[in-house]
Amino acid sequence: MDDKQLENLIVPRFLNYVRYDTESGRQTVKTPSTPGQWELAEVLQKELLGLGLIDVSLTDHCYVIARLPASAGMENKPCIGLIAHLDTASDVSGRNVKPQLIKNYNGEKIDLTGGLCLDPSIEPGLAEQKGKAVIHSDGTTLLGADNKAGIAEIMAAVEYITADSISKQCPQIKHGPVEIIFTPDEETGKGLPEFPLAEIKSVFCYTVDGGPVGEIESECFNAWKADIEFTGKVIHVGHARGILANAALMASVYASLLPRNESPEATDGYYGYYCPMEISGSLEKAVLEVYLRDFDDDGMKRRIAALDTFAKTVEAQFPGGKVIVKTQAQYYNMKSGIDKMPEVMERLKQAVKNSGIEWIQKPVRGGTDGSRLTELGIPTPNIFTGGRNFHSRLEWISVSEMCAACRVIIELIKI
């Protein structure tokens, strides 16, 4: 398959999709959390119908589910699912995204708005794109490759297989049944509780939600969230000596007790972390939200226990103050679930090999929809998209690596 052909299918879609404001809302309970996700979902529903797929639905909670029927004689093959998420993270604005396409990157620094720049001397992956096409943010917003790159790559693969003009050139593309699933609120972790599991026919799935070319992920963090509530003891601050317990200060002291050497910025690989996500409050009441991440179950138990120890430490420093720690699981390491069905990874390895790409297996330092789906009984590893610097104003993506991801998807469908 020709990369130029795939590029023509992927790039226009991607440049269009990132212009939709689908930033999800961490504080919103309903699914989807933002109206922009509906807008993109409706666009994708129409595009899938336009590609000739008949079985295309948009659920009450903004899940797009489409089915590509099996080729003649392949109807009894197991159904596989391809998944990407509609939303972008709220860490950096996703509104009014202005994607910048460089068709022939010269290998030099790329200046962005606000004094930012992409520097190939400190980003080897960018240096490797010299002479190739890259797409980046203008620096005022994130780009949205997480996960609109995955959407564009899946859609391009579907068009490649379904377009009559291409199919006539490639009559060897026979395949079993395929489900295409686009999900809301992956970044907040709130979309999967509404996942229409009963409607899904896939025996196993693949999320297209990873980073550099070749990176395949079949294990991820165990993820917990802690909501920590601080209740102070209030009196006029002019008469506070020996009486006042300042809840805002209690929250700040608690946050400072989180180990700095176990923070996201101090860890990589298989090392977990504590990450304070949001803090607010006043003299009487304050709240602190902390994310806990660890690949190991015992490591997570240690972290949860440490939160209670920190609470007692703060209470001891602020007589009359009270600290309550509430923890909640968000998702679990998907490794054990995927290991139960070895053919899921065997097929993916074969697809990567058939695409002429080097296989790089590594853990996800985060989570995907596949984490929760694997827990629900549908093993779901993760495939690269070609993107870098996700959730930031320095986000960029390699067009050639997007094509590589699309090739892997097509090979998976064929296998």
Side-chain angles (χ1 to χ4, degrees):
M1 73 193 71
D2 180 68
D3 266 15
K4 192 62 181 176
Q5 190 177 43
L6 295 181
E7 182 177 328
N8 291 336
L9 296 176
I10 295 169
V11 173
R13 279 194 167 88
F14 179 70
L15 295 177
N16 179 41
Y17 298 158
V18 298
R19 290 186 169 92
Y20 286 87
D21 177 11
T22 61
E23 180 182 323
S24 49
R26 292 175 56 246
Q27 305 302 333
T28 304
V29 175
K30 66 179 181 179
T31 304
S33 61
T34 51
Q37 296 182 70
W38 279 114
E39 294 179 27
L40 181 55
E42 290 166 357
V43 167
L44 294 169
Q45 181 187 30
K46 290 177 183 177
E47 286 189 15
L48 288 161
L49 289 168
L51 292 175
L53 278 68
I54 299 173
D55 189 357
V56 183
S57 62
L58 178 55
T59 75
D60 292 342
H61 290 286
C62 202
Y63 287 84
V64 179
I65 303 172
R67 294 184 178 91
L68 181 63
S71 304
M74 305 284 280
E75 295 86 355
N76 292 327
K77 296 293 182 181
C79 182
I80 69 165
L82 298 167
I83 302 177
H85 62 86
L86 301 162
D87 64 318
T88 59
S90 58
D91 305 334
V92 173
S93 174
R95 177 172 298 201
N96 297 322
V97 173
K98 301 177 181 66
Q100 309 293 304
L101 170 62
I102 302 176
K103 294 185 177 180
N104 185 7
Y105 172 51
N106 61 12
E108 298 177 0
K109 286 184 180 181
I110 302 172
D111 291 322
L112 308 177
T113 299
L116 300 173
C117 77
L118 292 170
D119 188 348
S121 69
I122 58 177
E123 289 202 50
L126 181 59
E128 292 168 3
Q129 306 306 315
K130 185 175 181 178
K132 302 177 183 179
V134 297
I135 304 172
H136 62 85
S137 160
D138 71 344
T140 61
T141 67
L142 50 66
L143 176 61
D146 182 9
N147 187 220
K148 289 163 185 173
I151 295 175
E153 290 156 5
I154 291 171
M155 291 294 293
V158 172
E159 180 168 0
Y160 183 89
I161 287 173
T162 58
D164 288 342
S165 60
I166 296 173
S167 297
K168 289 174 182 176
Q169 298 172 31
C170 304
Q172 77 276 16
I173 298 184
K174 284 183 163 289
H175 58 85
V178 180
E179 278 183 321
I180 297 95
I181 306 166
F182 299 130
T183 65
D185 288 328
E186 188 268 358
E187 297 291 359
T188 66
K190 297 174 184 172
L192 264 294
E194 303 295 347
F195 188 79
L197 185 65
E199 298 180 30
I200 302 304
K201 301 182 185 299
S202 297
V203 178
F204 45 86
C205 295
Y206 300 91
T207 50
V208 187
D209 192 14
V213 65
E215 289 189 0
I216 303 298
E217 297 150 334
S218 61
E219 54 185 318
C220 64
F221 278 134
N222 293 301
W224 285 65
K225 181 184 77 159
D227 292 306
I228 305 157
E229 300 173 357
F230 304 85
T231 302
K233 185 178 179 182
V234 179
I235 193 169
H236 189 293
V237 292
H239 305 278
R241 181 180 172 86
I243 302 174
L244 176 68
N246 185 334
L249 185 56
M250 290 168 66
S252 299
V253 170
Y254 190 104
S256 72
L257 292 174
L258 300 175
R260 291 286 296 119
N261 63 339
E262 295 183 55
S263 64
E265 60 270 32
T267 55
D268 58 12
Y270 284 92
Y271 291 96
Y273 59 76
Y274 305 84
C275 182
M277 297 295 292
E278 189 169 326
I279 186 169
S280 62
S282 61
L283 287 176
E284 187 174 33
K285 296 284 186 180
V287 291
L288 171 65
E289 182 182 22
V290 177
Y291 278 7
L292 310 175
R293 300 293 185 262
D294 205 296
F295 286 94
D296 182 70
D297 289 340
D298 289 338
M300 182 56 73
K301 290 176 183 177
R302 173 182 68 82
R303 294 182 191 283
I304 292 172
L307 294 185
D308 290 328
T309 300
F310 300 153
K312 291 181 175 65
T313 300
V314 171
E315 286 181 342
Q317 292 184 43
F318 294 84
K322 184 68 177 175
V323 183
I324 298 176
V325 178
K326 299 177 180 179
T327 56
Q328 177 184 350
Q330 294 176 303
Y331 56 83
Y332 296 98
N333 193 339
M334 58 190 175
K335 185 178 187 303
S336 61
I338 291 173
D339 286 348
K340 292 176 184 176
M341 193 180 286
E343 60 265 37
V344 177
M345 293 299 285
E346 289 169 5
R347 291 173 188 236
L348 183 50
K349 286 182 179 179
Q350 188 62 51
V352 171
K353 181 180 178 182
N354 291 354
S355 302
I357 298 166
E358 180 185 359
W359 171 277
I360 304 169
Q361 191 160 351
K362 59 180 295 186
V364 185
R365 285 187 59 81
T368 68
D369 281 332
S371 313
R372 181 71 176 128
L373 283 179
T374 300
E375 184 185 345
L376 293 172
I378 305 176
T380 308
N382 192 35
I383 301 171
F384 66 93
T385 63
R388 312 292 205 283
N389 301 337
F390 293 144
H391 298 196
S392 82
R393 300 177 194 275
L394 299 176
E395 191 178 357
W396 64 273
I397 193 164
S398 160
V399 172
S400 66
E401 293 183 16
M402 294 179 82
C403 293
C406 191
R407 291 202 309 273
V408 170
I409 295 167
I410 292 168
E411 289 298 329
L412 260 179
I413 292 172
K414 290 162 63 177
I415 291 170

